[in-house]
Amino acid sequence: MMTSSLLQDKTALITGASRGLGLYIAKRFWELGSSLILVARNKHKLELCYEELSASTKSQQSIQLISSNLGENHAISQLTQQISHKKIDILVNNAAIQGPIGNSWENNWSEWEQTLQVDLFAPIALCRAVIPGMIQRQYGKIINLSGGGATNARPKFSAYAVSKAGLVRFSETLAEEVNPFNISVNCIAPGAMNTDMLREIVAAGKDKVGEREYTQVTKKIADENSGMQQATELCAFLASPQSDGITGKLIHAVWDPWKNLAEYVEELKASDIYTLRRIVPQDRGKNWDPLL
Ligand SMILES: NC(=O)c1ccc[n+]([C@@H]2O[C@H](COP(=O)([O-])OP(=O)(O)OC[C@H]3O[C@@H](n4cnc5c(N)ncnc54)[C@H](OP(=O)(O)O)[C@@H]3O)[C@@H](O)[C@H]2O)c1
């Protein structure tokens, strides 16, 4: 049960808050009492969000808007400098782009690099910027958005898949590094959601994205449950003290029983459940080693 003061006195930086999931998360965090630093390129959309939210301000809540292009090195440096002295308790690395669609060797190389920049390097840079302050305050919650291709091959979406796999591995690694400082780092697999990102795949067409991906995505678009609510609620859970002790995990908003995870904190700490690991024959019930 989330009370309306769950994130009171906290400040959350959310990237990609101008539309899609990021906008949902911003609105939910606001309801839960958090102050917000919202980042995206589209200043007008950020301002619309500001107008809507500031109509229902609770005492002490504030919103800062930062229009920044996470695809540009100098913008990332400017942003990281701008936030490095702020009290940021929660970081949600949500902004991402789909990147080039098609076979890896045929993708436009600068689009490939741009995808790594927005989806992987920018989130890492933001983590690096907020962690010293979190260490000082001995508190922090970092939430990184994963996506299709992080845990399996995703033909025709190599730049996106590589970025998301990299972000999950970075999150697991960082989680161990910052564990002594009461900072947790987790990833969310939100499931397919009806946003611009999903619509881009449909617009690209079956020939470009491949039959399997196209069929899956068109089914999701037609599915009323492909909303953003579950991912938003999971994000709020991971941002709140309700998730204390859970770190270094990749949690699926739709398929994992995250509402009950607080009961399993000790088992989660002691296991590799919800992590990226190599599968060996024994995991599939096969014994290929005569010495075993
Ligand atoms: N939709 C899905 O089915 C799905 C599935 C799995 C994972 N995800 C992940 O969930 C997260 C949210 O996805 P979504 O579907 O909500 O995406 P979306 O609707 O396409 O929104 C992307 C957000 O990122 C921002 N953004 C994009 N490029 C940026 C840049 N260069 N600099 C700064 N901000 C930038 C956009 O704002 P501006 O355009 O204003 O900059 C927008 O607010 C992403 O990490 C995505 O990979 C989505």
Side-chain angles (χ1 to χ4, degrees):
M1 181 63 185
M2 294 195 187
T3 63
S4 61
S5 57
L6 194 66
L7 301 181
Q8 200 176 3
D9 302 325
K10 301 284 183 267
T11 299
L13 186 152
I14 304 166
T15 66
S18 59
R19 56 191 159 94
L21 179 63
L23 180 57
Y24 261 70
I25 294 171
K27 289 181 180 176
R28 183 65 177 135
F29 278 24
W30 187 253
E31 276 174 4
L32 295 173
S34 177
S35 287
L36 301 172
I37 302 173
L38 305 180
V39 179
R41 286 167 303 184
N42 192 319
K43 199 169 165 219
H44 176 63
K45 285 194 177 165
L46 287 177
E47 282 166 353
L48 288 178
C49 174
Y50 177 89
E51 273 171 34
E52 185 183 335
L53 296 185
S54 51
S56 63
T57 311
K58 288 181 201 148
S59 63
Q60 316 243 308
Q61 268 182 304
S62 67
I63 308 178
Q64 186 186 354
L65 308 179
I66 304 180
S67 169
S68 176
N69 184 350
L70 299 175
E72 290 174 356
N73 267 327
H74 74 272
I76 295 178
S77 317
Q78 222 174 23
L79 175 63
T80 54
Q81 273 170 27
Q82 207 177 339
I83 63 168
S84 59
H85 300 294
K86 288 188 184 295
K87 174 185 171 287
I88 294 171
D89 310 287
I90 303 159
L91 168 65
V92 183
N93 275 311
N94 163 81
I97 53 173
Q98 189 84 84
I101 302 174
N103 291 320
S104 328
W105 66 94
E106 292 165 332
N107 289 158
N108 175 296
W109 182 243
S110 56
E111 287 178 20
W112 218 94
E113 285 184 313
Q114 183 67 13
T115 311
L116 273 277
Q117 175 84 336
V118 178
D119 296 5
L120 180 61
F121 300 148
I124 293 174
L126 290 175
C127 289
R128 285 163 51 88
V130 299
I131 281 173
M134 288 180 170
I135 290 178
Q136 229 170 30
R137 293 185 296 277
Q138 294 282 297
Y139 185 84
K141 300 273 188 187
I142 296 177
I143 300 147
N144 293 325
L145 265 293
S146 174
T151 55
N152 51 358
R154 191 171 176 209
K156 320 272 190 198
F157 293 85
S158 57
Y160 184 83
V162 166
S163 305
K164 294 299 189 180
L167 190 56
V168 174
R169 173 58 73 237
F170 175 72
S171 304
E172 278 186 25
T173 305
L174 182 65
E176 290 198 20
E177 290 174 351
V178 297
N179 202 31
F181 310 110
N182 194 28
I183 301 169
S184 59
V185 187
N186 290 291
C187 289
I188 292 180
M193 303 173 293
N194 278 337
T195 64
D196 292 344
M197 191 171 271
L198 207 65
R199 290 187 279 272
E200 234 178 87
I201 300 177
V202 177
K206 198 190 288 184
D207 289 347
K208 205 162 181 195
V209 303
E211 174 122 27
R212 194 184 58 177
E213 178 92 24
Y214 189 80
T215 311
Q216 278 173 355
V217 166
T218 39
K219 253 193 221 153
K220 295 284 178 192
I221 287 225
D223 179 357
E224 282 177 13
N225 295 323
S226 295
M228 283 163 271
Q229 202 184 344
Q230 281 155 303
T232 303
E233 291 307 312
L234 171 56
C235 194
F237 168 73
L238 290 174
S240 80
Q242 291 184 347
S243 66
D244 282 355
I246 300 172
T247 190
K249 304 297 182 184
L250 164 59
I251 302 171
H252 200 290
V254 182
W255 304 119
D256 293 335
W258 54 266
K259 284 182 185 152
N260 304 325
L261 275 193
E263 290 170 38
Y264 302 103
V265 168
E266 292 314 314
E267 278 178 80
L268 278 174
K269 278 184 190 167
S271 78
D272 58 6
I273 290 170
Y274 303 141
T275 61
L276 261 190
R277 294 293 178 263
R278 193 172 79 98
I279 297 162
V280 296
Q282 288 92 319
D283 296 329
R284 295 289 180 258
K286 299 185 189 301
N287 183 0
W288 293 352
D289 187 340
L291 296 176
L292 287 177

